[in-house]
């Protein structure tokens, strides 16, 4: 998937914008398992923009690596707006050089969905130094591959939105 032209074109455009603005990106990924960072680093020149990526698939990783509170995880579940916010803010706080951090937590499928949290549900967060954190969520249709690709593209769009603030 990291050789996907749609993803690489979007990553190239994002890297160019971040480079022009002097921004550095960190990621906190759950359902994408590092795909956002992997796609960004697939572009030449990404080292001037990508600081680090946290793959926090388990709740324990979310807690120990980026400081998501166990109480938050217990109360809202890993796939929630509150956890997406805590993930991006924690990643921004722990990344040595990042000025922007994006987070994704969701259910890529094919299993794992419930009536209240269906397959395809992804929560996003984007935090940046000196700017208000953005959160949003989407329920993407399709199979696991499609959900994960759409999640990467939406994460890039969220960073683009933060760059305009």
């Amino acid at each position: 998937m990291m050789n996907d032209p749609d993803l690489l074109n979007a990553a190239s455009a994002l890297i160019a914008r971040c480079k022009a603005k002097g921004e550095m990106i960190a990621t906190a990924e759950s359902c994408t398992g590092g795909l956002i960072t992997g796609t960004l680093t697939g572009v030449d020149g990404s080292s001037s923009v990508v600081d680090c990526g946290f793959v926090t698939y388990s709740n324990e990783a979310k807690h120990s690596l980026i400081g998501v509170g166990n109480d938050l995880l217990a109360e809202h579940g890993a796939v929630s707006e509150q956890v997406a916010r805590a993930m991006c803010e924690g990643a921004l706080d722990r990344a040595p050089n990042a000025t922007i951090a994006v987070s994704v937590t969701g259910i890529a499928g094919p299993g794992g969905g419930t009536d209240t949290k269906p397959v395809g549900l992804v929560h996003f967060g984007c935090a940046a130094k000196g700017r208000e954190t953005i959160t949003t969520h989407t329920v993407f249709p399709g199979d696991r591959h499609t959900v994960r690709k759409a999640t990467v593209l939406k994460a890039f769009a969220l960073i683009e939105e933060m760059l305009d603030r």
Side-chain angles (χ1 to χ4, degrees):
M1 189 178 321
M2 285 187 267
N3 292 327
D4 182 298
D6 295 336
L7 292 177
L8 290 174
N9 288 337
S12 293
L14 178 59
I15 286 169
R17 280 203 68 206
C18 286
K19 189 183 262 187
K21 291 182 165 270
E23 301 275 9
M24 292 283 290
I25 299 170
T27 64
E29 300 183 62
S30 187
C31 60
T32 49
L35 190 58
I36 296 168
T37 307
T39 302
L40 288 169
T41 59
V43 174
D44 291 345
S46 60
S47 61
S48 65
V49 170
V50 178
D51 185 30
C52 64
F54 299 92
V55 177
T56 56
Y57 213 67
S58 70
N59 286 351
E60 294 81 7
K62 288 174 183 66
H63 176 72
S64 66
L65 295 177
I66 53 176
V68 176
N70 285 324
D71 54 336
L72 210 58
L73 289 160
E75 183 177 350
H76 301 285
V79 180
S80 64
E81 185 255 341
Q82 295 86 347
V83 169
R85 176 182 296 275
M87 287 173 67
C88 65
E89 291 174 351
L92 185 63
D93 185 52
R94 285 161 177 77
N97 302 305
T99 57
I100 294 177
V102 68
S103 64
V104 296
T105 181
I107 304 164
T114 66
D115 288 343
T116 55
K117 295 183 181 184
V119 169
L121 172 64
V122 180
H123 284 272
F124 298 83
C126 191
K129 305 262 187 206
R131 290 162 269 183
E132 190 175 328
T133 299
I134 302 168
T135 59
T136 189
H137 69 277
T138 303
V139 178
F140 295 109
D143 63 10
R144 183 176 186 82
H145 174 84
T146 305
V147 169
R148 286 166 40 103
K149 177 179 175 178
T151 299
V152 172
L153 291 171
K154 177 74 173 179
F156 290 172
L158 201 58
I159 296 168
E160 293 269 5
E161 182 180 334
M162 185 61 82
L163 290 173
D164 290 335
R165 292 185 171 206

